[in-house]
Amino acid sequence: DRAIAARRTADADRARWLRVVLFGGLALATLAGLAVHLTLTRLLGRAEAQAEELGRANARLHQQAAELATRREQLEDAALAQELAGEQLREQNVELELQTRQLQEQAAELEIANDALREGALRDHLLFERAPLPMWLFDVESLAILAVNAAAVARYG
C-alpha cells in the first residue's frame, strides 16, 4: 500500500509538475504569441501608414504627370504656332523680296523715263529759246504770258 501510495503521490507530483510546466510553457507560448501579435500589429500599422503615404505620393505624382502632360501639350501647341508663324513670315519675306525687286525695276524704268523727260524738256527749251521766230507761252484761262523766247524779246521788246 505504501508503495502504491508513494507511487500515486509521485504520479500526482509528476502530474502537477507537468501541469506547471505545461501551464508555464503555455503561458510562455501565449506571451510569445502576444509579443509576436503586438509586433505584427505594429508592423502592420507602420506598413499601412507607409502604404497611405505612398498612395498620397502616388496621387501627387499622377497629378504632376497630368500637369506636365498638359504643359507639354501647351508647349507643343505653342511650338506649332511659332512654326506656322515662322513659315508665314518666310512666305511674306519672299513676297516682299519679289515686290522689292518689282519696285526696283519700276524705279529703274521711272529713272529712264525721267531722264528721257529731262532730255525732252531740255531739247524743247533749247528749241524754244533758239527758235528764229518769236514764240511765247501763255495761260489759256487768264491769257497771261508765261514765257517768251529771245526772238520775241528782240522783235517786240
Side-chain angles (χ1 to χ4, degrees), residues 11-69:
D11 285 342
D13 286 343
R14 260 189 256 145
R16 259 184 272 138
W17 176 250
L18 281 174
R19 280 193 297 267
V20 167
V21 168
L22 286 175
F23 181 73
L26 184 59
L28 285 176
T30 302
L31 287 176
L34 284 174
V36 167
H37 176 71
L38 288 175
T39 302
L40 289 176
T41 302
R42 284 187 202 136
L43 288 174
L44 182 60
R46 286 183 195 157
E48 288 173 350
Q50 288 176 347
E52 288 176 14
E53 181 59 32
L54 287 174
R56 288 189 294 272
N58 192 23
R60 285 191 303 268
L61 287 175
H62 282 297
Q63 178 65 29
Q64 289 174 349
E67 290 171 2
L68 286 174

Side-chain angles (χ1 to χ4, degrees), residues 56-90:
R56 288 189 294 272
N58 192 23
R60 285 191 303 268
L61 287 175
H62 282 297
Q63 178 65 29
Q64 289 174 349
E67 290 171 2
L68 286 174
T70 300
R71 182 66 181 138
R72 180 180 178 187
E73 288 175 9
Q74 291 171 345
L75 289 173
E76 287 174 350
D77 290 345
L80 182 59
Q82 286 181 347
E83 186 177 325
L84 289 174
E87 183 61 31
Q88 289 173 345
L89 286 174
R90 283 187 286 280

Side-chain angles (χ1 to χ4, degrees), residues 2 9 45 68 76 81 84 86 95 99 106 131-132 136 138:
R2 254 184 170 181
T9 304
L68 286 174
E76 287 174 350
L84 289 174
E95 187 176 324
Q99 289 175 355
Q106 288 175 357
W136 54 91
F138 62 93

Side-chain angles (χ1 to χ4, degrees), residues 128-129 134-150 152-153 156-157:
F128 179 76
E129 283 297 320
M135 298 175 82
W136 54 91
L137 296 175
F138 62 93
D139 185 346
V140 176
E141 290 180 14
S142 66
L143 299 179
I145 296 176
L146 301 174
V148 294
N149 67 356
V153 171
Y156 301 111

